[in-house]
Amino acid sequence: MAFEVLDEHEQGELVRKWVRANAMSILIGITIGLLLIFGFQQWKARQLQTQGEASTTYSSLVEAINADKPDQVEAIAGTLRKDFPKSPYAVLAALRQAELAATKNEWDSVAGHLAWADSAAQDPTIKSLIALRMARVELARDKADAALAQLDRVAKADYPSMASELRGDVLLKLGRQEDARAAYEEALSHLDGMSSERNLLEMKLGNLPASAEKQKS
């Protein structure tokens, strides 16, 4: 209330005095604010530039894959890992390398590429996909227990049909037929009636021995 009874001249004089007394603090605050804004803009621009460079490099990797030039693929993938290790394109490149190695049944190489992708990936859904693929690798290497451990890392909401089907394959490998049946049925429950994947799953179920309850009946 005391400030409100001052006339305009007095109010102006008080403001000027306050500005003079706090000029340095005001100047420092403005400077810091401008630096923060400028720094953020620079960081954002750098991020966009880096993502653009990573995208272009990944496009070159895809071209090398399509041209069947494995040496170039390895070199470009190495560049992505070195120069853009936090970019999703580096993760995608590692996944492509794993796919190429899988076509040659080079499972140790596949596992190595997937392990790198897993360490670099930040998206939870991508990490679930990597775990799913690592489970396939472990099954191919006759390491069923390790495959189950990888499947346990797959989030329930991610790839439910694929994960359940693969779990069934692993459990069947371990001789756990009833558990495999349950896993296959779980996989079927996530597919619609027109899905082309149902035929294979139903075939896997049909190849299982009759359950103990059906045998009793």
Side-chain angles (χ1 to χ4, degrees), residues 3 9 15 24 30 38 44-45 47 55 63 82-83 85 98 109-110 117 119 125 135 149 162-163 175 181 183 201 209:
F3 188 77
H9 175 75
V15 170
M24 185 58 69
I30 293 173
F38 179 75
K44 189 174 181 180
Q47 288 291 103
S55 175
E63 291 175 1
K82 178 183 176 182
D83 296 344
S109 180
V110 175
S119 68
T125 303
M162 294 171 60
R181 186 191 309 280
L201 270 169

Side-chain angles (χ1 to χ4, degrees), residues 52-134:
E53 292 173 357
S55 175
T56 300
T57 304
Y58 180 74
S59 295
S60 298
L61 179 135
V62 173
E63 291 175 1
I65 291 174
N66 293 336
D68 193 21
K69 297 180 178 179
D71 291 341
Q72 286 190 19
V73 171
E74 292 300 312
I76 296 171
T79 297
L80 281 166
R81 293 191 190 192
K82 178 183 176 182
D83 296 344
F84 312 101
K86 295 183 179 180
S87 167
Y89 292 105
V91 175
L92 291 175
L95 293 179
R96 295 301 294 267
Q97 286 180 288
E99 291 173 4
L100 292 175
T103 62
K104 303 175 184 177
N105 295 327
E106 297 174 350
W107 301 117
D108 289 344
S109 180
V110 175
H113 293 311
L114 291 177
W116 188 92
D118 187 45
S119 68
Q122 300 180 23
D123 183 87
T125 303
I126 294 296
K127 291 185 80 68
S128 287
L129 175 62
I130 293 169
L132 191 61
R133 293 187 178 183
M134 291 180 79

Side-chain angles (χ1 to χ4, degrees), residues 4-24:
E4 293 175 2
V5 298
L6 299 175
D7 61 29
E8 291 184 7
H9 175 75
E10 290 170 325
Q11 289 182 30
E13 186 60 28
L14 282 175
V15 170
R16 283 190 290 273
K17 287 182 178 179
W18 183 87
V19 170
R20 286 195 296 270
N22 296 277
M24 185 58 69

